[in-house]
Amino acid sequence: MNASLPILGAFDLRDGSIAADDRLIDSFGRVHNNLRISVTDRCNIRCSYCMPEAVAFMPRSDLLSFEEIVRFARVAAGLGIDKIRLTGGEPLVRRDLPKLVAMLAEIAGIKDIGLTTNGILLADLAADLWNAGLRRINVSLDTMNPAKFVEITRRPGFEQVIEGILRARQVGFDPVKINALAIKNFTEDEVIPLAEFARSNGLEIRFIEYMPLDEVGRWRRSMVLFAADILEILTKGIGPLAPAADNDPRAPALDYVYADGRGRVGMIASVSRPFCMSCNRIRLTADGKLRNCLFAVEETDVRALLRGGERDESIALALRASVAGKLEGHEINSARFVKPDRLMHSIGG
Ligand code: SAM
Ligand code: SF4
């Protein structure tokens, strides 16, 4: 036992133990063990559902350093966070990302580190990420049609993404999950090609219902292709699907398996079947703001604490207060819904 390590409030970092009541539990009884860290708001493409073509990025000096991110993650781990996912913006445009993965992997209590990427830079970085300790990877890909890729992302890059996905499989990532946005009048024709690509390459595909996290006034409920419609397309085009026996009740995706045993499909039905009551996530933005929900309209300024000479105890208290103040759900489907000021790329999806 290391006597120089602090006791933070009611929990003790010296032996890594976390008493049940020291965990991050909100007023609805939800235990938070999952931290999503955005490492940049920048991106090398411009998906229209995520960000506008022209955008003012955060000044680099506003971004948390790797050391600041790791300090926050260490405090969070002391409160029961055991899963971390790196995201952005595009996380692979942040220089030396494998170094951050290795630093996070050393934190006691962190069992699982994942990454969500658009895949453009993945072919070059997959091996370094694997060697740094990353084991979970999700690659966003909305279409198997190169022209439609340019239409939705406003940039070329389809071939690089495919190469990145195949490289990630080669270096050992298993599964590689593909995230595809589900947008009406865009995704219908993509469902079968994406699902077939996934089935033939040992990948898992997940369809994510389009959410109002882009420019004000753009999203309409009528623009969402619902999970039920996608399941119908898959059933007709490929074959019957059944809910997976090992579905994790706390995961956002509801997984299905094909009757022929060749593959798995996930539905992230954030709009048609919100999963807020099982939410276990908190988010740290690239500029160090803690958000207790993707749709939060209030944030906690962790960067000010990190840079203001505050002790770990203050950061832990801020984390607890943020989780304690978490609302019941996102209310996308209600007239009360208030869109957050930040767009998806600056929150961290
Ligand atoms: N750049 C990386 C990528 O695209 O995978 C990571 C960040 S991106 C914001 C994370 C995920 O959010 C992606 O899978 C993306 O498709 C999803 N996303 C972005 N905007 C969205 C929206 N309006 N509704 C639902 N999902 C969205
Ligand atoms: Fe970039 Fe990811 Fe947003 Fe697309 S979804 S613009 S890849 S951050």
Side-chain angles (χ1 to χ4, degrees):
M1 198 150 104
N2 181 346
S4 67
L5 284 171
I7 299 174
L8 298 181
F11 62 94
D12 189 340
L13 286 186
R14 291 174 301 183
D15 63 3
S17 64
I18 303 157
D21 59 358
D22 288 334
R23 294 171 302 169
L24 293 166
I25 305 178
D26 71 8
S27 56
F28 300 91
R30 295 172 292 198
V31 180
H32 292 71
N33 69 322
N34 196 323
L35 168 65
R36 295 178 83 96
I37 301 175
S38 172
V39 294
T40 180
D41 65 331
R42 286 164 199 263
C43 189
N44 41 7
I45 56 176
R46 292 285 182 280
C47 304
S48 49
Y49 47 76
C50 175
M51 68 199 287
E53 171 66 60
V55 56
F57 292 118
M58 296 167 186
R60 287 186 203 276
S61 57
D62 281 3
L63 302 189
L64 293 188
S65 66
F66 286 177
E67 288 70 24
E68 288 168 335
I69 290 172
V70 169
R71 181 174 168 214
F72 177 80
R74 189 171 292 119
V75 173
L79 297 174
I81 293 292
D82 58 12
K83 279 180 93 165
I84 288 179
R85 176 161 292 270
L86 299 174
T87 179
E90 172 47 38
L92 298 187
V93 304
R94 177 91 188 237
R95 191 175 305 157
D96 292 335
L97 195 78
K99 194 172 143 199
L100 176 64
V101 171
M103 289 163 79
L104 291 169
E106 278 179 10
I107 297 177
I110 299 300
K111 299 182 188 140
D112 188 313
I113 304 176
L115 172 81
T116 301
T117 170
N118 64 27
I120 303 245
L121 301 175
L122 186 57
D124 281 349
L125 285 165
D128 288 350
L129 290 164
W130 176 269
N131 293 335
L134 189 78
R135 289 295 176 268
R136 288 177 183 269
I137 204 153
N138 293 10
V139 184
S140 302
L141 177 66
D142 304 322
T143 171
M144 290 304 293
N145 175 332
K148 279 179 85 173
F149 181 93
V150 177
E151 182 191 324
I152 196 117
T153 67
R154 307 183 183 115
R155 295 286 186 278
F158 175 78
E159 286 76 17
Q160 284 108 296
V161 179
I162 300 292
E163 199 189 332
I165 292 169
L166 300 178
R167 183 86 188 107
R169 285 288 287 131
Q170 266 170 14
V171 304
F173 288 100
D174 187 17
V176 173
K177 293 187 184 175
I178 307 299
N179 288 352
L181 249 277
I183 305 176
K184 250 206 187 119
N185 299 326
F186 181 92
T187 307
E188 291 87 339
D189 293 344
E190 301 310 311
V191 172
I192 300 297
L194 283 166
E196 292 288 20
F197 171 67
R199 267 160 66 93
S200 344
N201 289 285
L203 314 164
E204 257 180 64
I205 175 104
R206 294 143 29 114
F207 291 93
I208 308 176
E209 289 178 353
Y210 174 28
M211 295 182 279
L213 286 163
D214 49 4
E215 292 160 88
V216 182
R218 189 173 188 274
W219 183 92
R220 298 269 180 284
R221 205 170 189 279
S222 59
M223 293 163 82
V224 183
L225 182 66
F226 292 125
D229 300 322
I230 296 173
L231 280 172
E232 197 182 321
I233 297 173
L234 285 168
T235 307
K236 283 189 187 144
I238 297 183
L241 286 149
D246 58 349
N247 254 313
D248 173 355
R250 302 203 63 194
L254 196 54
D255 283 351
Y256 294 82
V257 287
Y258 294 101
D260 68 7
R262 277 191 55 225
R264 193 176 174 104
V265 185
M267 298 292 158
I268 305 189
S270 336
V271 181
S272 66
R273 193 189 62 90
F275 37 84
C276 301
M277 281 324 285
S278 61
C279 180
N280 59 0
R281 296 163 179 213
I282 52 174
R283 293 164 192 274
L284 184 67
T285 66
D287 56 346
K289 306 294 187 297
L290 177 62
R291 300 175 60 84
N292 58 21
C293 173
L294 194 49
F295 294 92
V297 287
E298 284 175 19
E299 303 180 331
T300 302
D301 191 351
V302 168
R303 190 185 66 200
L305 301 176
L306 290 165
R307 294 188 182 171
E310 294 289 342
R311 290 153 52 93
D312 286 356
E313 285 86 339
S314 306
I315 296 166
L317 278 175
L319 255 160
R320 280 193 190 290
S322 172
V323 169
K326 181 156 170 157
L327 300 179
E328 189 174 6
H330 61 46
E331 308 220 72
I332 290 178
N333 297 307
S334 125
R336 289 185 301 273
F337 176 68
V338 180
K339 191 187 161 309
D341 284 341
R342 284 179 187 261
L343 306 183
M344 185 62 134
H345 73 102
S346 91
I347 297 175

